[in-house]
Amino acid sequence: MTAGTVDERVADTGRLRRMLIRPELGAVVGAIVVFAFFASQSATFRSVDGVANWLDPASTLGIMAVAVALLMIGGEFNLSAGVLTGTTGLILVTLATRFGWNVWAAMLAGLAVALLVGFLNGLIVVRTRLPSFIVTLGTFLMLQGINLGVTKALTGTVQVSGLRRADGFESARAVLADSVTIGGTGFRVAILWWIAVTVLATWVLMRTRAGNWIFAVGGDDRAARAVGVPAERTKILLFMTTAGAAWLVGSILALRFTSVQANAGLGQEFIYIIAAVIGGCLLTGGYGSAVGAAIGAVIFGMADKGIVFAGWDADWFKFFLGAMLLLATLANRLVRRYAEEVRH
Amino acid sequence: MTARPNPGTPAGEPLLDCRGVSLAFGSVRALVDVSLSAREGEITAIVGDNGAGKSTLVRCVSGIHRPDSGHIEFDGAETSFHSPEDAREAGIETVHQNLALVEDLTVWQNLFLNREVVRRLGPLAVLDRRAMRARAKEMVSKLAVNVPAVRSRVRRLSGGQRQAVAICRAAGFSSRLVIMDEPTAALGVQETARVEELIRALRDEGHAVMLISHNFAQVIRLSQQVWVMRAGRCVGGRRTAGTTGEEIVALVTGALNR
């Protein structure tokens, strides 16, 4: 601190280190390791068909993980995101098959409901200052009850089906749930949506004022408010973003399977959070990346299908996921400690 | 004391003029008929014991609270701020005791938080990170010695450097009145000296500086005008050049009235 010596905090840091040390570094390394592992176990896994196969679960999970990551960077959780994919799917199929709605109109209705749920989640969180964990746990349970209750009341069973016969099904399916053939291999269109969502989220985070505000409200809500950052609006919009993503994924899955179970999406909410955390998001907020969450989803997809390709008992999948989560979190902490010296 | 001509008598109108400001929270009368003023190119100190109402007054001036009665004039016009944003737009910046810095963001991101510089790309507004970094470098190097790198995260900075960043943010963006709440309370001797340098630099740039401090030696060292608050009232004002630490202490404790 005295004259002559330069405080190390004052010194600027190297470009290479800045590029290397990013929140998603741990996830990238993890993805390479997991890929190498399963690729060595199964020839199918590393074939183009295999890649198309495991990118499929990665894509629908990835769309949600990216949205959930934005919300987590903003300092909040959304436990109702998984069940909301079921709700939107149920609305779509029910309106289209029971009430004769056009599929597109039914999807719009699903979107409206999803955004309303997201808005209410956000509004309750910012107005009451209750932990979002509790608030969205409440909406999670309520949605779960509505999904089951309404489906049973309308159909007498626990699923709605028959979307294929509805008006506008083919065009909606082409946009959201079809496959595109590249080099003889069919890739799900959902993969493109996932990439688009990741690119958009990354751009918002890194290049827009809103992105700056997301990091700020998640890092230090009080400080952000003190300089006039619209913290409430930012958070409500983040909840609506996760709800919008849930609608997209719910619609994709409904159009793909043409039927929806009343318990669809149940239990997925934690998978989204796991993918975001593997991707470098902190549970405490203010730190993380959208690309990392997308890569976290890739790891999940690879493990999900890789275990099957390798000929193992799929029962072991959860064990693998848990071990991956622990390892990735430890690796991310190391990266983060190192990163505190640096910044993009 | 009042018989001889006051050595530092100021000229012109004050920039900030509070007259008869009162505010109660329920049955607690936090401010009672407070009148005081602050001038450009001067450091105006507000002293008083804990609970005397200093912070409450500052919160009224910076738009966090609205007084129940009384007037706050800024630059000759009556103000009625509904939010800190209004006060900031008028040119009143506050350096809060907790500094209001986001630790996980860099120095330049903190300096430009909610004042981001954007480039227009058709309908889109894109952050101009390069411009913000360059301007941030200018801002900190103009004021501070031992300048923190604008790319380093605030988490990595010392207390004094954080204070410097917060002060730079308050001084930039064409503010005219900078309010500082206990800026050196948490700092060591060296860093206190450095921050005091910064505060003087602000004054010399022509800012009106309002300083809340418990440190009477510091108040005597830095300020041109002292206002003393006790139990929600402003019990006296002195030109610093015409008073002593003892007199200020006497006013604070109530041994001396007016």
Side-chain angles (χ1 to χ4, degrees), chain A residues 48-280:
Chain A
V48 179
D49 283 332
V51 172
N53 195 293
W54 52 253
L55 277 181
D56 175 26
S59 62
T60 45
L61 166 64
I63 292 169
M64 289 310 295
V66 166
V68 165
L70 292 187
L71 180 68
M72 281 177 72
I73 295 170
E76 304 292 347
F77 291 102
N78 188 354
L79 296 183
S80 66
V83 171
L84 194 55
T85 64
T87 308
T88 51
L90 288 168
I91 291 171
L92 162 54
V93 180
T94 305
L95 288 179
T97 60
R98 304 271 146 180
F99 298 92
W101 285 40
N102 182 287
V103 169
W104 289 100
M107 276 173 55
L108 270 184
L111 177 62
V113 171
L115 291 179
L116 180 67
V117 170
F119 176 77
L120 289 176
N121 270 333
L123 191 71
I124 295 171
V125 168
V126 299
R127 283 292 142 86
T128 63
R129 306 269 174 115
L130 284 171
S132 51
F133 196 91
I134 296 299
V135 171
T136 59
L137 185 61
T139 48
F140 158 75
L141 291 169
M142 287 161 68
L143 285 175
Q144 194 185 337
I146 291 175
N147 285 0
L148 195 58
V150 173
T151 308
K152 265 192 167 168
L154 285 177
T155 67
T157 66
V158 290
Q159 72 161 14
V160 285
S161 53
L163 187 60
R164 191 178 302 280
R165 293 185 299 277
D167 280 348
F169 171 76
E170 285 307 324
S171 59
R173 199 181 75 96
V175 174
L176 289 175
D178 215 348
S179 297
V180 283
T181 306
I182 302 169
T185 304
F187 286 86
R188 293 283 192 183
V189 184
I191 296 170
L192 294 178
W193 283 100
W194 167 45
I195 293 170
V197 166
T198 308
V199 169
L200 180 66
T202 303
W203 182 77
V204 168
L205 268 183
M206 306 309 288
R207 289 288 178 264
T208 68
R209 299 187 77 192
N212 234 16
W213 296 343
I214 292 170
F215 279 106
V217 297
D220 191 335
D221 187 69
R222 257 174 31 139
R225 285 169 199 264
V227 293
V229 171
E232 300 201 341
R233 199 176 72 202
T234 304
K235 286 193 170 178
I236 290 175
L237 282 173
L238 284 173
F239 277 104
M240 293 175 76
T241 303
T242 56
W247 164 78
L248 180 59
V249 170
S251 302
I252 288 172
L253 293 178
L255 288 162
R256 187 181 293 177
F257 300 123
T258 69
S259 69
V260 181
Q261 301 284 328
N263 67 351
L266 195 65
Q268 292 295 300
E269 54 284 334
F270 278 109
I271 308 280
Y272 309 150
I273 294 174
I274 290 167
V277 169
I278 289 176

Side-chain angles (χ1 to χ4, degrees), chain A residues 1-2 7-13 15 18 203 205-209 212-213 215-217 219-220 222-230 282 285-287 336 339-344, chain B residues 84-85 88 96 98 100-106 108-109 112-116 118 124-127 129 132-133 137 146-149 151-153 155-158 161 169 190-191 194:
Chain A
M1 297 287 279
T2 48
D7 189 331
E8 45 107 25
R9 286 170 295 214
V10 175
D12 216 334
T13 38
R15 187 171 291 267
R18 280 206 306 275
W203 182 77
L205 268 183
M206 306 309 288
R207 289 288 178 264
T208 68
R209 299 187 77 192
N212 234 16
W213 296 343
F215 279 106
V217 297
D220 191 335
R222 257 174 31 139
R225 285 169 199 264
V227 293
V229 171
L282 282 184
Y287 188 84
R336 190 175 136 75
E340 291 195 344
E341 301 154 27
V342 204
R343 175 73 189 201
H344 48 84
Chain B
E85 207 50 34
R88 200 169 291 124
H96 295 282
N98 60 17
L101 298 173
V102 181
E103 295 203 335
D104 269 320
L105 296 184
T106 61
W108 70 264
Q109 284 174 313
F112 282 90
L113 189 52
N114 202 31
R115 289 168 174 142
E116 293 86 354
V118 291
L124 304 173
V126 186
L127 291 184
R129 298 158 72 92
M132 284 190 277
R133 277 198 290 261
K137 235 173 231 179
N146 189 26
V147 188
R151 282 178 195 268
S152 52
R153 286 158 190 262
R155 189 184 291 287
R156 296 265 308 153
L157 302 186
S158 71
Q161 285 176 321
R169 181 168 66 187
Q190 270 197 340
E191 296 210 300
R194 229 171 243 134

Side-chain angles (χ1 to χ4, degrees), chain B residues 10-155:
Chain B
E13 289 299 303
L15 179 66
L16 175 77
D17 199 3
C18 301
R19 284 202 311 270
V21 174
S22 297
L23 177 62
F25 298 109
S27 60
V28 181
R29 301 175 76 194
L31 295 176
V32 184
D33 197 24
V34 174
S35 298
L36 53 75
S37 58
R39 289 165 193 282
E40 287 185 301
E42 281 193 1
I43 297 169
T44 303
I46 303 179
V47 297
D49 259 336
N50 291 331
K54 304 175 304 254
S55 293
T56 311
L57 178 73
V58 159
R59 283 161 178 271
C60 288
V61 174
S62 62
I64 297 170
H65 296 324
R66 299 197 70 190
D68 295 333
S69 61
H71 305 271
I72 299 177
E73 279 187 11
F74 185 71
D75 199 17
E78 171 97 28
T79 67
S80 75
F81 301 139
H82 292 270
S83 72
E85 207 50 34
D86 291 347
R88 200 169 291 124
E89 235 146 72
I92 299 175
E93 284 282 343
T94 310
V95 181
H96 295 282
Q97 221 166 341
N98 60 17
L99 300 183
L101 298 173
V102 181
E103 295 203 335
D104 269 320
L105 296 184
T106 61
V107 169
W108 70 264
Q109 284 174 313
N110 269 290
L111 286 174
F112 282 90
L113 189 52
N114 202 31
R115 289 168 174 142
E116 293 86 354
V117 178
V118 291
R119 269 179 301 138
R120 288 264 154 210
L121 285 183
L124 304 173
V126 186
L127 291 184
D128 193 341
R129 298 158 72 92
R130 188 188 300 263
M132 284 190 277
R133 277 198 290 261
R135 174 96 178 82
K137 235 173 231 179
E138 238 173 73
M139 283 164 69
V140 290
S141 62
K142 192 168 74 172
L143 277 174
V145 283
N146 189 26
V147 188
V150 294
R151 282 178 195 268
S152 52
R153 286 158 190 262
V154 166
R155 189 184 291 287

Side-chain angles (χ1 to χ4, degrees), chain A residues 30-53:
Chain A
I32 292 170
V33 170
V34 172
F35 177 81
F37 177 74
F38 283 114
S40 71
Q41 299 290 311
S42 156
T44 323
F45 182 85
R46 58 180 186 265
S47 71
V48 179
D49 283 332
V51 172
N53 195 293

